[in-house]
Every structure is written in structure tokens, then in C-alpha cells.
């Protein structure tokens, strides 16, 4: 592709900034997934902790050579950090290991993956923080494909006979998590084709989240912290900000703490700066790309 002068188009400053932010996010998520401190990554890669901090914050304009060192120290191909298609750190490592494996090993892995896909049936689960657009996008996807849309919290409220806030107050987090696990079990038993949206905190219950990953095709619907907050307030809920000047900082901390778990999803949909129509189109394309929900004949 060329511009009117016949020369290839030059990347804009905003595109460069976005790439730096993407690389920083992926390095930070990969380091968290491996339980590696910045100091340990520095020692393994030969890149200073200060430079790594700049890199992870999206401010570091790192050279290809140094980025290759960082990727190698994280046991990742460099493509996993710079490619437009988002792969979780675990997925990138698995892909690299698969490429190095012999033919027999690859065949066994493919057989296991086919079996896993069969267990997931045609069920899709949207995960991510509140305000990412899971409910709106899930409902639109379900309507487009003619399948049920299920909000897990509404299932939990129906089972508990009261709003989630009252369930939490009466039974505590443990009681809520048990109802959450039971609701997912019921969906798996009753639905082979469905779109499900779950609460952002489901990743905090390791057993339930692992079961979800094995029984649903999962998509992490993500956005910037500012957009998460703005969308929640646009829904008429001002509680996140009321009397809490540290709300945004806390939101960033929650998102950072959950990034590695969200990154275990089968696919990622970034709704940052995108319109609803654009996000729905991207979601449909993502579902088709991964064959999560083939159209029934």
C-alpha cells in the first residue's frame, strides 16, 4: 500500500504510541503470568530494571535487539509482543513449543484440542471488568446468531431469590461463589449453543474459572480503565466515584492484578475507543475467525 506520492505510508505518532503501550502491556502480563519480578527479568534479559519499567509503562522506545532479549527471557517469540493479534503469554509459549515439536507430538496435541473444543460445544463466555461492554455485546451477538443470551448474575439472583448485593451481604463471598459455580454447571447441562456474560471477579475463584475455560470458548472484552469507569457512570451508577478520590487508582490496580487471568481467554476483543457498531462487527468477525459458533445448517 502506498500514499499519493507512491511511497509506503509512514506510521503516525499515535500508531507508534499505541504499539509501545501494547508491547508494555504484553511484557507486564507475561512477567506476571510467570510470577517473575522485574528484577529477575532484568537479570535474565540484561535490560536494566529502570528501562523495563519504562517499557511496561508504554514509555520505552526499545530497540529490536533489547526487545528480543526480553522476549527470550520470557520464553516468548518476539512476535507475541509486537503482532497485532493478541495472544496471551501462555498461548504464545504453547504456540512456540508446538512449532518446535515433532509430528507425532503435534498430532497428539491436535487430538486433545479437538476433544477440548467438543467439550466447549458452541458456548461462548465473555469475561472482563464491568464496563467493558459484555452485556451489550453479548446480547447483540446472541441476537445475530439466534442463540440464548445469559447474564450469569441474573441466573444467580434467580437461584438465590434475591439481588446479588443481598446474596453477598447474607451469605458472603463464599456463598456467592458457590451459586456462581452452580449457575455455570446448569448452563453447561442445559445449553450447547449460548452466549454468557459473567462478572469480572470470576477470575478470583481459580477452580470456577478453570472450569469455565474448559467448557466455554472465552473472549476477554477489554477497554481502558477510563472507559470502564465512564461506561459504568453512563449507566447511571455513580457509586464507583462517590466519596472515593482513589477510585480510578483502585480500578487500575484491579485491572492490572487480573490481566494475567483474563489473558488466559481464547481470544481478546479490545473495545477501547470503538463505537458499539464497530465492536459488534469486530466481535462477529472474531467469533467466525475462531469458529466458536458456526451457523447452524
Amino acid at each position: 500500500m502506498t500514499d499519493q506520492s507512491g511511497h509506503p505510508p509512514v506510521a503516525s505518532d499515535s500508531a507508534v504510541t499505541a504499539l509501545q503501550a501494547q508491547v508494555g502491556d504484553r511484557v507486564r502480563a507475561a512477567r506476571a503470568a510467570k510470577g517473575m519480578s522485574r528484577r529477575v527479568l532484568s537479570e535474565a534479559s540484561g535490560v536494566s530494571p529502570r528501562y523495563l519499567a519504562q517499557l511496561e509503562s508504554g514509555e520505552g522506545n526499545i530497540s529490536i535487539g533489547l526487545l528480543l532479549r526480553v522476549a527470550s527471557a520470557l520464553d516468548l517469540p518476539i512476535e507475541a509482543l509486537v503482532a497485532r493479534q493478541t495472544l496471551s503469554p501462555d498461548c504464545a509459549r504453547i504456540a512456540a513449543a508446538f512449532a518446535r515439536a515433532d509430528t507425532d507430538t503435534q498430532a497428539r496435541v491436535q487430538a486433545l484440542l479437538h476433544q477440548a473444543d467438543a467439550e466447549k460445544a458452541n458456548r461462548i463466555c465473555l469475561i472482563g471488568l464491568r464496563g467493558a461492554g459484555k452485556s451489550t455485546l453479548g446480547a447483540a451477538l446472541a441476537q445475530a446468531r439466534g442463540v440464548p443470551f445469559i447474564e450469569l448474575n441474573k441466573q444467580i439472583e434467580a437461584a438465590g431469590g434475591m439481588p446479588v448485593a443481598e446474596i453477598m451481604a447474607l451469605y458472603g463471598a463464599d456463598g456467592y461463589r458457590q451459586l456462581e459455580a452452580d449457575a455455570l454447571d446448569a448452563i453447561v447441562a442445559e445449553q450447547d449453543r449460548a452466549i454468557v456474560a459473567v462478572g469480572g471477579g470470576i477470575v478470583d475463584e481459580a477452580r470456577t474459572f478453570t472450569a469455565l475455560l474448559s467448557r466455554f470458548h472465552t473472549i476477554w472484552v477489554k477497554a481502558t480503565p477510563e472507559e470502564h469507569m465512564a461506561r459504568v457512570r453512563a449507566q447511571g451508577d455513580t457509586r464507583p466515584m462517590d466519596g472515593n478520590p482513589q477510585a480510578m487508582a483502585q480500578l487500575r490496580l484491579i485491572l492490572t492484578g487480573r490481566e494475567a487471568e483474563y489473558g488466559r481467554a481464547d481470544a481478546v476483543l479490545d473495545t477501547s475507543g470503538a463505537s458499539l457498531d464497530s465492536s459488534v462487527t469486530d466481535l462477529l468477525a472474531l467469533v467466525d475467525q475462531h469458529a466458536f459458533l458456526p451457523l447452524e445448517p
Side-chain angles (χ1 to χ4, degrees), residues 275-286:
S275 67
L276 174 58
D277 288 344
S278 175
S279 293
V280 170
T281 298
D282 290 344
L283 178 58
L284 285 166
L286 190 65

Side-chain angles (χ1 to χ4, degrees), residues 133-195:
K134 293 172 295 183
S135 296
T136 303
L137 293 172
L141 175 60
Q143 182 177 14
R145 290 301 164 86
V147 300
F149 172 62
I150 302 168
E151 290 190 76
L152 194 66
N153 271 345
K154 291 185 177 179
Q155 294 284 99
I156 293 170
E157 289 177 343
M162 63 186 75
V164 166
E166 293 183 19
I167 291 174
M168 292 289 289
L170 186 60
Y171 298 109
D174 289 343
Y176 170 78
R177 293 302 178 198
Q178 184 58 57
L179 288 172
E180 184 177 58
D182 292 344
L184 282 173
D185 288 340
I187 292 170
V188 171
E190 298 168 3
Q191 305 286 350
D192 285 334
R193 294 174 63 84
I195 311 297

Side-chain angles (χ1 to χ4, degrees), residues 6-289:
H7 298 293
V10 178
S12 65
D13 290 343
S14 61
V16 172
T17 300
L19 178 60
Q20 289 175 335
Q22 169 192 295
V23 171
D25 288 344
R26 292 183 184 179
V27 168
R28 185 174 61 252
R31 182 170 61 78
K34 290 179 71 68
M36 181 183 289
S37 69
R38 193 176 290 153
R39 179 183 60 79
V40 172
L41 178 57
S42 172
E43 293 173 354
S45 65
V47 178
S48 72
R50 179 181 177 183
Y51 202 73
L52 287 174
Q54 292 177 337
L55 174 65
E56 291 187 0
S57 68
E59 299 174 357
N61 189 9
I62 193 169
S63 70
I64 292 296
L66 292 181
L67 187 60
L68 180 60
R69 290 185 186 180
V70 173
S72 298
L74 292 168
D75 194 25
L76 291 173
I78 193 171
E79 294 88 348
L81 301 179
V82 299
R84 287 188 178 183
Q85 182 177 359
T86 304
L87 286 177
S88 71
D90 285 342
C91 287
R93 276 191 289 273
I94 291 169
F98 182 83
R100 295 191 299 266
D102 58 62
T103 304
D104 288 342
T105 300
Q106 289 182 349
R108 290 197 298 271
V109 169
Q110 288 176 332
L112 288 171
L113 290 174
H114 287 315
Q115 179 181 349
D117 281 343
E119 292 175 356
K120 295 179 180 182
N122 297 133
R123 294 183 293 267
I124 296 175
C125 184
L126 305 183
I127 66 173
L129 281 184
R130 184 181 178 195
K134 293 172 295 183
S135 296
T136 303
L137 293 172
L141 175 60
Q143 182 177 14
R145 290 301 164 86
V147 300
F149 172 62
I150 302 168
E151 290 190 76
L152 194 66
N153 271 345
K154 291 185 177 179
Q155 294 284 99
I156 293 170
E157 289 177 343
M162 63 186 75
V164 166
E166 293 183 19
I167 291 174
M168 292 289 289
L170 186 60
Y171 298 109
D174 289 343
Y176 170 78
R177 293 302 178 198
Q178 184 58 57
L179 288 172
E180 184 177 58
D182 292 344
L184 282 173
D185 288 340
I187 292 170
V188 171
E190 298 168 3
Q191 305 286 350
D192 285 334
R193 294 174 63 84
I195 311 297
V196 179
V198 298
I202 197 167
V203 298
D204 296 333
E205 180 55 49
R207 182 177 299 179
T208 301
F209 187 53
T210 298
L212 184 152
L213 291 172
S214 69
R215 298 186 293 178
F216 292 80
H217 300 288
T218 48
I219 299 175
W220 173 17
V221 183
K222 64 182 296 188
T224 64
E226 291 79 10
E227 285 176 297
H228 278 292
M229 186 68 76
R231 291 171 186 174
V232 170
R233 299 188 72 184
Q235 296 167 3
D237 187 352
T238 60
R239 290 173 299 170
M241 298 293 287
D242 285 348
N244 186 4
Q246 301 300 315
M248 182 57 71
Q250 292 172 2
L251 178 61
R252 291 181 185 277
L253 186 62
I254 292 171
L255 182 56
T256 300
R258 291 177 177 172
E259 275 184 342
E261 290 303 304
Y262 287 150
R264 295 171 64 191
D266 298 309
V268 178
L269 177 70
D270 193 340
T271 64
S272 301
S275 67
L276 174 58
D277 288 344
S278 175
S279 293
V280 170
T281 298
D282 290 344
L283 178 58
L284 285 166
L286 190 65
V287 168
D288 289 339
Q289 174 189 344

